[in-house]
Amino acid sequence: MDSFKMTTTTEEETMHLAQKLAILLKPGDVVTLEGDLGAGKTTFTKGIATGLCVKRNVTSPTFTIIKEYEGELPLYHMDVYRLENSDEDIGFDEYFNGEGISIVEWPQFIIDFLPEERLDIHISYVNDQSRQIQLQARGSHFEWVLDELQSN
């Protein structure tokens, strides 16, 4: 399977999906998150952080671009919105090929730097509480991840 959609009806359901995803990820994995402001990208990242046993509070790295968190695996949370119309490479390869999991919000602004193998996630509003979450695997590892995620 290379993609699937699901609808969550609470913030807790969104976080639970992300927690389940976190335990399937391995060092060097890249997950992109797209969606409107307030759609739930940071909430999803908080769920991944919880699944990785990150103790610190996860917040959007809007002004710092990258925040690093320690857990069972390092978590690199990137908000690259401020890099729109920039070709600046701030060391993405070191993160994408590193020992942690990279979460990239607003990935369209650094598309040339993203690895081909990754998991693309798009979060859309359904209503005030509900979100439609579409997961798209790019590569065989992430096809396996989606299969496992759906079977659990």
Side-chain angles (χ1 to χ4, degrees):
M1 164 176 301
D2 62 352
S3 71
F4 81 91
K5 289 181 187 179
M6 71 174 301
T7 300
T8 59
T9 57
T10 65
E11 193 172 288
E12 290 76 20
E13 282 182 8
T14 298
M15 289 185 65
H16 181 69
L17 172 64
Q19 287 172 13
K20 287 174 45 179
L21 172 63
I23 48 180
L24 300 171
L25 297 175
K26 62 180 180 52
D29 279 353
V30 175
V31 176
T32 68
L33 292 173
E34 293 183 68
D36 293 332
L37 288 171
K41 297 181 297 294
T42 300
T43 297
F44 199 90
T45 302
K46 287 179 180 184
I48 290 175
T50 300
L52 294 175
C53 298
V54 170
K55 302 294 183 219
R56 283 182 38 216
N57 183 39
V58 173
T59 59
S60 181
T62 302
F63 297 105
T64 58
I65 300 177
I66 300 173
K67 287 189 178 178
E68 297 182 22
Y69 300 93
E70 289 299 321
E72 289 179 356
L73 292 172
L75 177 64
Y76 311 126
H77 184 198
M78 306 175 188
D79 182 332
V80 297
Y81 183 82
R82 296 181 66 204
L83 297 179
E84 182 179 17
N85 300 319
S86 170
D87 60 357
E88 182 178 357
D89 179 353
I90 57 173
F92 295 116
D93 280 347
E94 291 178 34
Y95 289 102
F96 297 159
N97 296 308
E99 295 300 314
I101 308 300
S102 297
I103 308 297
V104 182
E105 296 187 25
W106 304 99
Q108 65 271 30
F109 297 130
I110 62 162
I111 197 75
D112 292 339
F113 297 104
L114 293 172
E116 286 186 32
E117 185 158 322
R118 63 184 186 266
L119 181 62
D120 293 334
I121 300 175
H122 186 86
I123 304 173
S124 305
Y125 284 103
V126 174
N127 59 40
D128 284 346
Q129 292 298 315
S130 299
R131 302 292 186 265
Q132 183 177 69
I133 302 172
Q134 180 173 352
L135 299 98
Q136 174 74 45
R138 298 198 180 275
S140 59
H141 166 63
F142 289 108
E143 289 176 6
W144 173 84
V145 167
L146 293 187
D147 286 342
E148 291 294 310
L149 194 59
Q150 278 206 293
S151 66
N152 290 329

